Amino acid sequence: MSNLSTYSAYLLSAFLLFRFIRAYLGNRNSPLRKIPTIGYSSPLLSYISAFRFFTHSQRMIHEGYTKYKGHAFKIPMVNGWHVMVSGPKLIEEIKSASDEYMSLRFAADNTLQAYWQLGDYRHEPDFYLINAVRNKVTRDIAPRFEDVQDEIQAAFSDEIHIKGEEWVPVRVNETSIRVISRTSNRLFVGLPLCRDSNYRDLKIEFTVDIMIGSSILQLFPDIMKPLVTMLISKVPRQMRRATRLLRPVIEDRLEKDVEYGKDWPGRPTDLISWLIDATPASKRTVENISLQILIINFGAIHTTSIAFTSAMYCLACHPELHEPLREEIQTVIEKEGWSKSAIDRMHKLDSVLKEASRLGGHTATAMNRLVLKDFTFSDGTTIPAGTFVSAAANATHNDESIYPDAHQYRGFRFADMKSENGGVVGQSMIKTTDKYMLFGHGKHACPGRFFAVNELKTMLAHCLLNYDFKFADGRTEPPPPTWIAMSIIPDQQAEVMFRARRK
Ligand code: HEM
């Protein structure tokens, strides 16, 4: 072993010992002791449960949810205690807690180890990209609908090569990542960059690299993180690659803004312009704008492609749903043509997507927060600062008392439901409630959901109108997803058979 690795191994052992002693002493008086634990709760043994959580998370969360429904329970994880709550009362209390007490930003930073992996990002107290997404992306879905639809058509015909009447196998997960990367980026950065394969691969690789980097960094003390980042994290390199690819288009936009002001004719309505507008002048650098584009892509592409893949798997198992869906799409289109508002009126299409994400989703929990100041729920449960808290979303979505036949895919479940005051519209996928938290809930609920749902529905409508699809083995249950800690990952290899639609 080199001197450096021997030194690192000593430092890591000392840190683990220190963490153990601190956990042991801290645990004796901590209010966390009063919260029931799933797994071991003593400082040393809790590490066993923390590692077990990587592969048994579904079982452990299910156990906590069924034993302590409507209350809180805690699970040890490698980066500390996670408290999960369920039931409308406690979920609403997370929703109304101020950022001073419970922070999404700090929870996300910790999960991604952003402070270490994302360089300049550490100096950003404000997140301009949230305003850009909240105000501009949503507003421009309607005027940019045609472009996004055009990209969906082009991307599917590049991805699925149908010959005559043949059925061809399509690996849905990988195809949907590529289609969604292109269509989202048609809105984000426009042509021709949205079709550039180097730019596409960068976003896909960045997601994997940041997750691997953060899983390793979580194991080390802060003092070692700069060194560990330097040795193992590929994220800084990917950020430089993003800056290189985006520089020409961002520089051109910044120069034109200086020369002609912000309203020059032909200024694209895309994420680059929105970010430039949302970012204060002193921070408007190519590096900063590129980083924000990369982060939005990170939050947008895999989440959307998981939702699409889950829906395709479910629909491939339920051919009886295809004709009613086609009928709905065609009726709306005949009346008003393709547009954002036409897509909004497709309630059955919305329902099949929402139901697939209810059963699966991309993560076990929602409303993930890091507690910054001790917080006491109305039932007396106190969560000390430094603890993670979240809502047990997937367990709620699969609760029989909320959704009868919860483990079955009932495609039109939501279209058939009438909400108290909103009719079918009140049940649409974009609506967040304490019973449906795919996009979180409350003031931090995903601001990109209006775009994501519109994109997903347009993609699914395109597939239904242009292809027949099914599983080759005629299965009636979708391939099960894999749970890795909090993440729920749909089957990456499963193939769905496609052929040109026979009308
Ligand atoms: C199906 C696709 C998507 C899913 C399932 C999803 C899910 C989520 C969730 C669970 C949150 C955290 C909410 C909370 O904790 O209360 C979130 C936040 C966020 N999402 Fe999405 N998202 C999706 C697509 C997108 C897209 C397409 C964009 C950008 C165009 C986007 C941008 C954001 C941003 C900026 C935040 C941070 C909000 C804040 O901090 O206040 N998301 N998303």
Side-chain angles (χ1 to χ4, degrees), residues 240-262:
R240 288 194 293 277
R241 185 173 161 202
T243 304
R244 237 183 357 260
L245 283 166
L246 287 157
R247 181 177 293 286
V249 56
I250 298 175
E251 259 175 10
D252 179 61
R253 196 76 53 88
L254 288 169
E255 277 163 20
K256 287 205 171 102
D257 281 0
V258 171
E259 203 174 334
Y260 309 114
K262 286 279 173 61

mmCIF file with all atom_site columns, all heavy atoms in Angstrom, residues 240-262:
data_model
loop_
_atom_site.group_PDB
_atom_site.id
_atom_site.type_symbol
_atom_site.label_atom_id
_atom_site.label_alt_id
_atom_site.label_comp_id
_atom_site.label_asym_id
_atom_site.label_entity_id
_atom_site.label_seq_id
_atom_site.pdbx_PDB_ins_code
_atom_site.Cartn_x
_atom_site.Cartn_y
_atom_site.Cartn_z
_atom_site.occupancy
_atom_site.B_iso_or_equiv
_atom_site.pdbx_formal_charge
_atom_site.auth_seq_id
_atom_site.auth_comp_id
_atom_site.auth_asym_id
_atom_site.auth_atom_id
_atom_site.pdbx_PDB_model_num
ATOM 1   N N   . ARG A 1 240 ? -16.637 20.247 -16.603 1.00 0.00 ? 240 ARG A N   1
ATOM 2   C CA  . ARG A 1 240 ? -15.791 20.939 -17.594 1.00 0.00 ? 240 ARG A CA  1
ATOM 3   C C   . ARG A 1 240 ? -16.260 20.589 -19.013 1.00 0.00 ? 240 ARG A C   1
ATOM 4   O O   . ARG A 1 240 ? -16.302 21.421 -19.898 1.00 0.00 ? 240 ARG A O   1
ATOM 5   C CB  . ARG A 1 240 ? -14.314 20.559 -17.394 1.00 0.00 ? 240 ARG A CB  1
ATOM 6   C CG  . ARG A 1 240 ? -13.702 21.190 -16.142 1.00 0.00 ? 240 ARG A CG  1
ATOM 7   C CD  . ARG A 1 240 ? -12.185 21.095 -16.155 1.00 0.00 ? 240 ARG A CD  1
ATOM 8   N NE  . ARG A 1 240 ? -11.702 19.724 -16.044 1.00 0.00 ? 240 ARG A NE  1
ATOM 9   C CZ  . ARG A 1 240 ? -11.563 19.059 -14.878 1.00 0.00 ? 240 ARG A CZ  1
ATOM 10  N NH1 . ARG A 1 240 ? -11.838 19.663 -13.739 1.00 0.00 ? 240 ARG A NH1 1
ATOM 11  N NH2 . ARG A 1 240 ? -11.129 17.806 -14.854 1.00 0.00 ? 240 ARG A NH2 1
ATOM 12  N N   . ARG A 1 241 ? -16.669 19.321 -19.176 1.00 0.00 ? 241 ARG A N   1
ATOM 13  C CA  . ARG A 1 241 ? -17.165 18.894 -20.495 1.00 0.00 ? 241 ARG A CA  1
ATOM 14  C C   . ARG A 1 241 ? -18.450 19.663 -20.858 1.00 0.00 ? 241 ARG A C   1
ATOM 15  O O   . ARG A 1 241 ? -18.632 20.093 -22.003 1.00 0.00 ? 241 ARG A O   1
ATOM 16  C CB  . ARG A 1 241 ? -17.442 17.388 -20.417 1.00 0.00 ? 241 ARG A CB  1
ATOM 17  C CG  . ARG A 1 241 ? -17.856 16.730 -21.693 1.00 0.00 ? 241 ARG A CG  1
ATOM 18  C CD  . ARG A 1 241 ? -17.910 15.219 -21.446 1.00 0.00 ? 241 ARG A CD  1
ATOM 19  N NE  . ARG A 1 241 ? -18.692 14.493 -22.399 1.00 0.00 ? 241 ARG A NE  1
ATOM 20  C CZ  . ARG A 1 241 ? -19.226 13.282 -22.167 1.00 0.00 ? 241 ARG A CZ  1
ATOM 21  N NH1 . ARG A 1 241 ? -19.059 12.692 -20.996 1.00 0.00 ? 241 ARG A NH1 1
ATOM 22  N NH2 . ARG A 1 241 ? -19.929 12.670 -23.087 1.00 0.00 ? 241 ARG A NH2 1
ATOM 23  N N   . ALA A 1 242 ? -19.334 19.846 -19.850 1.00 0.00 ? 242 ALA A N   1
ATOM 24  C CA  . ALA A 1 242 ? -20.584 20.593 -20.097 1.00 0.00 ? 242 ALA A CA  1
ATOM 25  C C   . ALA A 1 242 ? -20.266 22.023 -20.512 1.00 0.00 ? 242 ALA A C   1
ATOM 26  O O   . ALA A 1 242 ? -20.846 22.557 -21.459 1.00 0.00 ? 242 ALA A O   1
ATOM 27  C CB  . ALA A 1 242 ? -21.449 20.586 -18.839 1.00 0.00 ? 242 ALA A CB  1
ATOM 28  N N   . THR A 1 243 ? -19.322 22.643 -19.801 1.00 0.00 ? 243 THR A N   1
ATOM 29  C CA  . THR A 1 243 ? -18.972 24.030 -20.115 1.00 0.00 ? 243 THR A CA  1
ATOM 30  C C   . THR A 1 243 ? -18.430 24.116 -21.543 1.00 0.00 ? 243 THR A C   1
ATOM 31  O O   . THR A 1 243 ? -18.775 25.031 -22.285 1.00 0.00 ? 243 THR A O   1
ATOM 32  C CB  . THR A 1 243 ? -17.906 24.546 -19.112 1.00 0.00 ? 243 THR A CB  1
ATOM 33  O OG1 . THR A 1 243 ? -18.441 24.367 -17.805 1.00 0.00 ? 243 THR A OG1 1
ATOM 34  C CG2 . THR A 1 243 ? -17.578 26.000 -19.327 1.00 0.00 ? 243 THR A CG2 1
ATOM 35  N N   . ARG A 1 244 ? -17.597 23.120 -21.906 1.00 0.00 ? 244 ARG A N   1
ATOM 36  C CA  . ARG A 1 244 ? -17.019 23.128 -23.264 1.00 0.00 ? 244 ARG A CA  1
ATOM 37  C C   . ARG A 1 244 ? -18.124 23.041 -24.320 1.00 0.00 ? 244 ARG A C   1
ATOM 38  O O   . ARG A 1 244 ? -18.126 23.774 -25.296 1.00 0.00 ? 244 ARG A O   1
ATOM 39  C CB  . ARG A 1 244 ? -16.093 21.921 -23.404 1.00 0.00 ? 244 ARG A CB  1
ATOM 40  C CG  . ARG A 1 244 ? -14.688 22.307 -23.796 1.00 0.00 ? 244 ARG A CG  1
ATOM 41  C CD  . ARG A 1 244 ? -13.738 21.162 -24.025 1.00 0.00 ? 244 ARG A CD  1
ATOM 42  N NE  . ARG A 1 244 ? -14.162 19.815 -23.811 1.00 0.00 ? 244 ARG A NE  1
ATOM 43  C CZ  . ARG A 1 244 ? -13.890 19.093 -22.709 1.00 0.00 ? 244 ARG A CZ  1
ATOM 44  N NH1 . ARG A 1 244 ? -13.214 19.626 -21.705 1.00 0.00 ? 244 ARG A NH1 1
ATOM 45  N NH2 . ARG A 1 244 ? -14.284 17.845 -22.595 1.00 0.00 ? 244 ARG A NH2 1
ATOM 46  N N   . LEU A 1 245 ? -19.099 22.152 -24.088 1.00 0.00 ? 245 LEU A N   1
ATOM 47  C CA  . LEU A 1 245 ? -20.144 21.952 -25.091 1.00 0.00 ? 245 LEU A CA  1
ATOM 48  C C   . LEU A 1 245 ? -21.115 23.129 -25.168 1.00 0.00 ? 245 LEU A C   1
ATOM 49  O O   . LEU A 1 245 ? -21.617 23.464 -26.232 1.00 0.00 ? 245 LEU A O   1
ATOM 50  C CB  . LEU A 1 245 ? -20.935 20.679 -24.759 1.00 0.00 ? 245 LEU A CB  1
ATOM 51  C CG  . LEU A 1 245 ? -20.246 19.371 -25.120 1.00 0.00 ? 245 LEU A CG  1
ATOM 52  C CD1 . LEU A 1 245 ? -20.937 18.198 -24.446 1.00 0.00 ? 245 LEU A CD1 1
ATOM 53  C CD2 . LEU A 1 245 ? -20.305 19.185 -26.639 1.00 0.00 ? 245 LEU A CD2 1
ATOM 54  N N   . LEU A 1 246 ? -21.385 23.733 -24.010 1.00 0.00 ? 246 LEU A N   1
ATOM 55  C CA  . LEU A 1 246 ? -22.398 24.792 -23.980 1.00 0.00 ? 246 LEU A CA  1
ATOM 56  C C   . LEU A 1 246 ? -21.824 26.186 -24.228 1.00 0.00 ? 246 LEU A C   1
ATOM 57  O O   . LEU A 1 246 ? -22.565 27.122 -24.511 1.00 0.00 ? 246 LEU A O   1
ATOM 58  C CB  . LEU A 1 246 ? -23.137 24.759 -22.630 1.00 0.00 ? 246 LEU A CB  1
ATOM 59  C CG  . LEU A 1 246 ? -24.110 23.576 -22.466 1.00 0.00 ? 246 LEU A CG  1
ATOM 60  C CD1 . LEU A 1 246 ? -24.370 23.273 -20.998 1.00 0.00 ? 246 LEU A CD1 1
ATOM 61  C CD2 . LEU A 1 246 ? -25.438 23.876 -23.167 1.00 0.00 ? 246 LEU A CD2 1
ATOM 62  N N   . ARG A 1 247 ? -20.492 26.311 -24.086 1.00 0.00 ? 247 ARG A N   1
ATOM 63  C CA  . ARG A 1 247 ? -19.871 27.652 -24.185 1.00 0.00 ? 247 ARG A CA  1
ATOM 64  C C   . ARG A 1 247 ? -20.282 28.435 -25.442 1.00 0.00 ? 247 ARG A C   1
ATOM 65  O O   . ARG A 1 247 ? -20.745 29.576 -25.319 1.00 0.00 ? 247 ARG A O   1
ATOM 66  C CB  . ARG A 1 247 ? -18.338 27.545 -24.101 1.00 0.00 ? 247 ARG A CB  1
ATOM 67  C CG  . ARG A 1 247 ? -17.634 28.904 -24.170 1.00 0.00 ? 247 ARG A CG  1
ATOM 68  C CD  . ARG A 1 247 ? -16.132 28.771 -24.015 1.00 0.00 ? 247 ARG A CD  1
ATOM 69  N NE  . ARG A 1 247 ? -15.720 28.321 -22.707 1.00 0.00 ? 247 ARG A NE  1
ATOM 70  C CZ  . ARG A 1 247 ? -15.726 29.056 -21.598 1.00 0.00 ? 247 ARG A CZ  1
ATOM 71  N NH1 . ARG A 1 247 ? -16.109 30.313 -21.651 1.00 0.00 ? 247 ARG A NH1 1
ATOM 72  N NH2 . ARG A 1 247 ? -15.355 28.562 -20.449 1.00 0.00 ? 247 ARG A NH2 1
ATOM 73  N N   . PRO A 1 248 ? -20.183 27.834 -26.664 1.00 0.00 ? 248 PRO A N   1
ATOM 74  C CA  . PRO A 1 248 ? -20.477 28.656 -27.849 1.00 0.00 ? 248 PRO A CA  1
ATOM 75  C C   . PRO A 1 248 ? -21.887 29.260 -27.805 1.00 0.00 ? 248 PRO A C   1
ATOM 76  O O   . PRO A 1 248 ? -22.064 30.437 -28.071 1.00 0.00 ? 248 PRO A O   1
ATOM 77  C CB  . PRO A 1 248 ? -20.350 27.670 -29.011 1.00 0.00 ? 248 PRO A CB  1
ATOM 78  C CG  . PRO A 1 248 ? -19.542 26.532 -28.476 1.00 0.00 ? 248 PRO A CG  1
ATOM 79  C CD  . PRO A 1 248 ? -19.775 26.476 -27.011 1.00 0.00 ? 248 PRO A CD  1
ATOM 80  N N   . VAL A 1 249 ? -22.867 28.443 -27.419 1.00 0.00 ? 249 VAL A N   1
ATOM 81  C CA  . VAL A 1 249 ? -24.248 28.949 -27.467 1.00 0.00 ? 249 VAL A CA  1
ATOM 82  C C   . VAL A 1 249 ? -24.519 29.948 -26.326 1.00 0.00 ? 249 VAL A C   1
ATOM 83  O O   . VAL A 1 249 ? -25.175 30.973 -26.523 1.00 0.00 ? 249 VAL A O   1
ATOM 84  C CB  . VAL A 1 249 ? -25.273 27.780 -27.553 1.00 0.00 ? 249 VAL A CB  1
ATOM 85  C CG1 . VAL A 1 249 ? -25.153 26.811 -26.459 1.00 0.00 ? 249 VAL A CG1 1
ATOM 86  C CG2 . VAL A 1 249 ? -26.688 28.279 -27.608 1.00 0.00 ? 249 VAL A CG2 1
ATOM 87  N N   . ILE A 1 250 ? -23.943 29.703 -25.139 1.00 0.00 ? 250 ILE A N   1
ATOM 88  C CA  . ILE A 1 250 ? -24.174 30.644 -24.022 1.00 0.00 ? 250 ILE A CA  1
ATOM 89  C C   . ILE A 1 250 ? -23.442 31.957 -24.298 1.00 0.00 ? 250 ILE A C   1
ATOM 90  O O   . ILE A 1 250 ? -24.013 33.049 -24.119 1.00 0.00 ? 250 ILE A O   1
ATOM 91  C CB  . ILE A 1 250 ? -23.718 30.039 -22.670 1.00 0.00 ? 250 ILE A CB  1
ATOM 92  C CG1 . ILE A 1 250 ? -24.515 28.771 -22.344 1.00 0.00 ? 250 ILE A CG1 1
ATOM 93  C CG2 . ILE A 1 250 ? -23.887 31.060 -21.534 1.00 0.00 ? 250 ILE A CG2 1
ATOM 94  C CD1 . ILE A 1 250 ? -24.072 28.043 -21.101 1.00 0.00 ? 250 ILE A CD1 1
ATOM 95  N N   . GLU A 1 251 ? -22.200 31.858 -24.765 1.00 0.00 ? 251 GLU A N   1
ATOM 96  C CA  . GLU A 1 251 ? -21.440 33.086 -25.048 1.00 0.00 ? 251 GLU A CA  1
ATOM 97  C C   . GLU A 1 251 ? -22.137 33.935 -26.096 1.00 0.00 ? 251 GLU A C   1
ATOM 98  O O   . GLU A 1 251 ? -22.261 35.157 -25.953 1.00 0.00 ? 251 GLU A O   1
ATOM 99  C CB  . GLU A 1 251 ? -20.024 32.724 -25.524 1.00 0.00 ? 251 GLU A CB  1
ATOM 100 C CG  . GLU A 1 251 ? -19.026 32.887 -24.398 1.00 0.00 ? 251 GLU A CG  1
ATOM 101 C CD  . GLU A 1 251 ? -17.617 32.426 -24.755 1.00 0.00 ? 251 GLU A CD  1
ATOM 102 O OE1 . GLU A 1 251 ? -17.331 32.138 -25.938 1.00 0.00 ? 251 GLU A OE1 1
ATOM 103 O OE2 . GLU A 1 251 ? -16.817 32.337 -23.824 1.00 0.00 ? 251 GLU A OE2 1
ATOM 104 N N   . ASP A 1 252 ? -22.613 33.266 -27.132 1.00 0.00 ? 252 ASP A N   1
ATOM 105 C CA  . ASP A 1 252 ? -23.308 33.984 -28.204 1.00 0.00 ? 252 ASP A CA  1
ATOM 106 C C   . ASP A 1 252 ? -24.530 34.731 -27.644 1.00 0.00 ? 252 ASP A C   1
ATOM 107 O O   . ASP A 1 252 ? -24.759 35.903 -27.943 1.00 0.00 ? 252 ASP A O   1
ATOM 108 C CB  . ASP A 1 252 ? -23.748 32.963 -29.263 1.00 0.00 ? 252 ASP A CB  1
ATOM 109 C CG  . ASP A 1 252 ? -24.503 33.618 -30.397 1.00 0.00 ? 252 ASP A CG  1
ATOM 110 O OD1 . ASP A 1 252 ? -23.895 34.472 -31.069 1.00 0.00 ? 252 ASP A OD1 1
ATOM 111 O OD2 . ASP A 1 252 ? -25.703 33.319 -30.585 1.00 0.00 ? 252 ASP A OD2 1
ATOM 112 N N   . ARG A 1 253 ? -25.281 34.048 -26.770 1.00 0.00 ? 253 ARG A N   1
ATOM 113 C CA  . ARG A 1 253 ? -26.495 34.658 -26.187 1.00 0.00 ? 253 ARG A CA  1
ATOM 114 C C   . ARG A 1 253 ? -26.109 35.850 -25.322 1.00 0.00 ? 253 ARG A C   1
ATOM 115 O O   . ARG A 1 253 ? -26.720 36.919 -25.407 1.00 0.00 ? 253 ARG A O   1
ATOM 116 C CB  . ARG A 1 253 ? -27.239 33.598 -25.362 1.00 0.00 ? 253 ARG A CB  1
ATOM 117 C CG  . ARG A 1 253 ? -28.677 33.882 -24.981 1.00 0.00 ? 253 ARG A CG  1
ATOM 118 C CD  . ARG A 1 253 ? -29.619 33.693 -26.146 1.00 0.00 ? 253 ARG A CD  1
ATOM 119 N NE  . ARG A 1 253 ? -29.488 32.402 -26.796 1.00 0.00 ? 253 ARG A NE  1
ATOM 120 C CZ  . ARG A 1 253 ? -30.154 31.311 -26.429 1.00 0.00 ? 253 ARG A CZ  1
ATOM 121 N NH1 . ARG A 1 253 ? -31.015 31.375 -25.452 1.00 0.00 ? 253 ARG A NH1 1
ATOM 122 N NH2 . ARG A 1 253 ? -30.003 30.179 -27.077 1.00 0.00 ? 253 ARG A NH2 1
ATOM 123 N N   . LEU A 1 254 ? -25.062 35.666 -24.483 1.00 0.00 ? 254 LEU A N   1
ATOM 124 C CA  . LEU A 1 254 ? -24.644 36.756 -23.578 1.00 0.00 ? 254 LEU A CA  1
ATOM 125 C C   . LEU A 1 254 ? -24.165 37.969 -24.388 1.00 0.00 ? 254 LEU A C   1
ATOM 126 O O   . LEU A 1 254 ? -24.505 39.112 -24.076 1.00 0.00 ? 254 LEU A O   1
ATOM 127 C CB  . LEU A 1 254 ? -23.526 36.266 -22.641 1.00 0.00 ? 254 LEU A CB  1
ATOM 128 C CG  . LEU A 1 254 ? -23.944 35.290 -21.532 1.00 0.00 ? 254 LEU A CG  1
ATOM 129 C CD1 . LEU A 1 254 ? -22.721 34.680 -20.849 1.00 0.00 ? 254 LEU A CD1 1
ATOM 130 C CD2 . LEU A 1 254 ? -24.821 35.968 -20.496 1.00 0.00 ? 254 LEU A CD2 1
ATOM 131 N N   . GLU A 1 255 ? -23.416 37.694 -25.455 1.00 0.00 ? 255 GLU A N   1
ATOM 132 C CA  . GLU A 1 255 ? -22.901 38.810 -26.269 1.00 0.00 ? 255 GLU A CA  1
ATOM 133 C C   . GLU A 1 255 ? -24.045 39.571 -26.940 1.00 0.00 ? 255 GLU A C   1
ATOM 134 O O   . GLU A 1 255 ? -24.066 40.799 -26.946 1.00 0.00 ? 255 GLU A O   1
ATOM 135 C CB  . GLU A 1 255 ? -21.947 38.270 -27.348 1.00 0.00 ? 255 GLU A CB  1
ATOM 136 C CG  . GLU A 1 255 ? -20.537 38.044 -26.806 1.00 0.00 ? 255 GLU A CG  1
ATOM 137 C CD  . GLU A 1 255 ? -19.704 37.142 -27.717 1.00 0.00 ? 255 GLU A CD  1
ATOM 138 O OE1 . GLU A 1 255 ? -20.049 36.991 -28.922 1.00 0.00 ? 255 GLU A OE1 1
ATOM 139 O OE2 . GLU A 1 255 ? -18.732 36.581 -27.202 1.00 0.00 ? 255 GLU A OE2 1
ATOM 140 N N   . LYS A 1 256 ? -25.003 38.821 -27.475 1.00 0.00 ? 256 LYS A N   1
ATOM 141 C CA  . LYS A 1 256 ? -26.128 39.485 -28.151 1.00 0.00 ? 256 LYS A CA  1
ATOM 142 C C   . LYS A 1 256 ? -26.955 40.290 -27.151 1.00 0.00 ? 256 LYS A C   1
ATOM 143 O O   . LYS A 1 256 ? -27.458 41.372 -27.478 1.00 0.00 ? 256 LYS A O   1
ATOM 144 C CB  . LYS A 1 256 ? -27.007 38.453 -28.848 1.00 0.00 ? 256 LYS A CB  1
ATOM 145 C CG  . LYS A 1 256 ? -26.368 37.881 -30.102 1.00 0.00 ? 256 LYS A CG  1
ATOM 146 C CD  . LYS A 1 256 ? -27.434 37.367 -31.050 1.00 0.00 ? 256 LYS A CD  1
ATOM 147 C CE  . LYS A 1 256 ? -26.856 36.987 -32.395 1.00 0.00 ? 256 LYS A CE  1
ATOM 148 N NZ  . LYS A 1 256 ? -26.678 35.548 -32.584 1.00 0.00 ? 256 LYS A NZ  1
ATOM 149 N N   . ASP A 1 257 ? -27.105 39.746 -25.914 1.00 0.00 ? 257 ASP A N   1
ATOM 150 C CA  . ASP A 1 257 ? -27.862 40.476 -24.884 1.00 0.00 ? 257 ASP A CA  1
ATOM 151 C C   . ASP A 1 257 ? -27.183 41.821 -24.592 1.00 0.00 ? 257 ASP A C   1
ATOM 152 O O   . ASP A 1 257 ? -27.835 42.834 -24.403 1.00 0.00 ? 257 ASP A O   1
ATOM 153 C CB  . ASP A 1 257 ? -27.954 39.664 -23.588 1.00 0.00 ? 257 ASP A CB  1
ATOM 154 C CG  . ASP A 1 257 ? -29.014 38.581 -23.667 1.00 0.00 ? 257 ASP A CG  1
ATOM 155 O OD1 . ASP A 1 257 ? -29.675 38.472 -24.720 1.00 0.00 ? 257 ASP A OD1 1
ATOM 156 O OD2 . ASP A 1 257 ? -29.183 37.844 -22.668 1.00 0.00 ? 257 ASP A OD2 1
ATOM 157 N N   . VAL A 1 258 ? -25.829 41.791 -24.546 1.00 0.00 ? 258 VAL A N   1
ATOM 158 C CA  . VAL A 1 258 ? -25.087 43.036 -24.261 1.00 0.00 ? 258 VAL A CA  1
ATOM 159 C C   . VAL A 1 258 ? -25.270 43.996 -25.431 1.00 0.00 ? 258 VAL A C   1
ATOM 160 O O   . VAL A 1 258 ? -25.544 45.194 -25.261 1.00 0.00 ? 258 VAL A O   1
ATOM 161 C CB  . VAL A 1 258 ? -23.577 42.728 -24.042 1.00 0.00 ? 258 VAL A CB  1
ATOM 162 C CG1 . VAL A 1 258 ? -22.761 44.012 -23.973 1.00 0.00 ? 258 VAL A CG1 1
ATOM 163 C CG2 . VAL A 1 258 ? -23.395 41.913 -22.774 1.00 0.00 ? 258 VAL A CG2 1
ATOM 164 N N   . GLU A 1 259 ? -25.197 43.470 -26.646 1.00 0.00 ? 259 GLU A N   1
ATOM 165 C CA  . GLU A 1 259 ? -25.259 44.340 -27.819 1.00 0.00 ? 259 GLU A CA  1
ATOM 166 C C   . GLU A 1 259 ? -26.663 44.900 -28.073 1.00 0.00 ? 259 GLU A C   1
ATOM 167 O O   . GLU A 1 259 ? -26.832 46.094 -28.325 1.00 0.00 ? 259 GLU A O   1
ATOM 168 C CB  . GLU A 1 259 ? -24.787 43.539 -29.032 1.00 0.00 ? 259 GLU A CB  1
ATOM 169 C CG  . GLU A 1 259 ? -24.296 44.440 -30.150 1.00 0.00 ? 259 GLU A CG  1
ATOM 170 C CD  . GLU A 1 259 ? -23.686 43.596 -31.274 1.00 0.00 ? 259 GLU A CD  1
ATOM 171 O OE1 . GLU A 1 259 ? -23.215 42.472 -30.997 1.00 0.00 ? 259 GLU A OE1 1
ATOM 172 O OE2 . GLU A 1 259 ? -23.700 44.078 -32.409 1.00 0.00 ? 259 GLU A OE2 1
ATOM 173 N N   . TYR A 1 260 ? -27.682 44.041 -27.986 1.00 0.00 ? 260 TYR A N   1
ATOM 174 C CA  . TYR A 1 260 ? -29.029 44.493 -28.391 1.00 0.00 ? 260 TYR A CA  1
ATOM 175 C C   . TYR A 1 260 ? -30.025 44.604 -27.241 1.00 0.00 ? 260 TYR A C   1
ATOM 176 O O   . TYR A 1 260 ? -31.189 44.929 -27.486 1.00 0.00 ? 260 TYR A O   1
ATOM 177 C CB  . TYR A 1 260 ? -29.621 43.515 -29.417 1.00 0.00 ? 260 TYR A CB  1
ATOM 178 C CG  . TYR A 1 260 ? -28.721 43.216 -30.586 1.00 0.00 ? 260 TYR A CG  1
ATOM 179 C CD1 . TYR A 1 260 ? -28.197 41.936 -30.777 1.00 0.00 ? 260 TYR A CD1 1
ATOM 180 C CD2 . TYR A 1 260 ? -28.390 44.208 -31.523 1.00 0.00 ? 260 TYR A CD2 1
ATOM 181 C CE1 . TYR A 1 260 ? -27.370 41.643 -31.850 1.00 0.00 ? 260 TYR A CE1 1
ATOM 182 C CE2 . TYR A 1 260 ? -27.559 43.929 -32.598 1.00 0.00 ? 260 TYR A CE2 1
ATOM 183 C CZ  . TYR A 1 260 ? -27.045 42.636 -32.756 1.00 0.00 ? 260 TYR A CZ  1
ATOM 184 O OH  . TYR A 1 260 ? -26.234 42.356 -33.817 1.00 0.00 ? 260 TYR A OH  1
ATOM 185 N N   . GLY A 1 261 ? -29.617 44.315 -26.021 1.00 0.00 ? 261 GLY A N   1
ATOM 186 C CA  . GLY A 1 261 ? -30.584 44.304 -24.915 1.00 0.00 ? 261 GLY A CA  1
ATOM 187 C C   . GLY A 1 261 ? -31.314 42.971 -24.890 1.00 0.00 ? 261 GLY A C   1
ATOM 188 O O   . GLY A 1 261 ? -31.117 42.132 -25.773 1.00 0.00 ? 261 GLY A O   1
ATOM 189 N N   . LYS A 1 262 ? -32.188 42.777 -23.857 1.00 0.00 ? 262 LYS A N   1
ATOM 190 C CA  . LYS A 1 262 ? -32.795 41.448 -23.645 1.00 0.00 ? 262 LYS A CA  1
ATOM 191 C C   . LYS A 1 262 ? -33.885 41.062 -24.636 1.00 0.00 ? 262 LYS A C   1
ATOM 192 O O   . LYS A 1 262 ? -34.268 39.899 -24.692 1.00 0.00 ? 262 LYS A O   1
ATOM 193 C CB  . LYS A 1 262 ? -33.387 41.381 -22.228 1.00 0.00 ? 262 LYS A CB  1
ATOM 194 C CG  . LYS A 1 262 ? -32.367 41.250 -21.133 1.00 0.00 ? 262 LYS A CG  1
ATOM 195 C CD  . LYS A 1 262 ? -31.924 39.804 -20.986 1.00 0.00 ? 262 LYS A CD  1
ATOM 196 C CE  . LYS A 1 262 ? -30.790 39.619 -20.023 1.00 0.00 ? 262 LYS A CE  1
ATOM 197 N NZ  . LYS A 1 262 ? -31.129 40.047 -18.661 1.00 0.00 ? 262 LYS A NZ  1
#
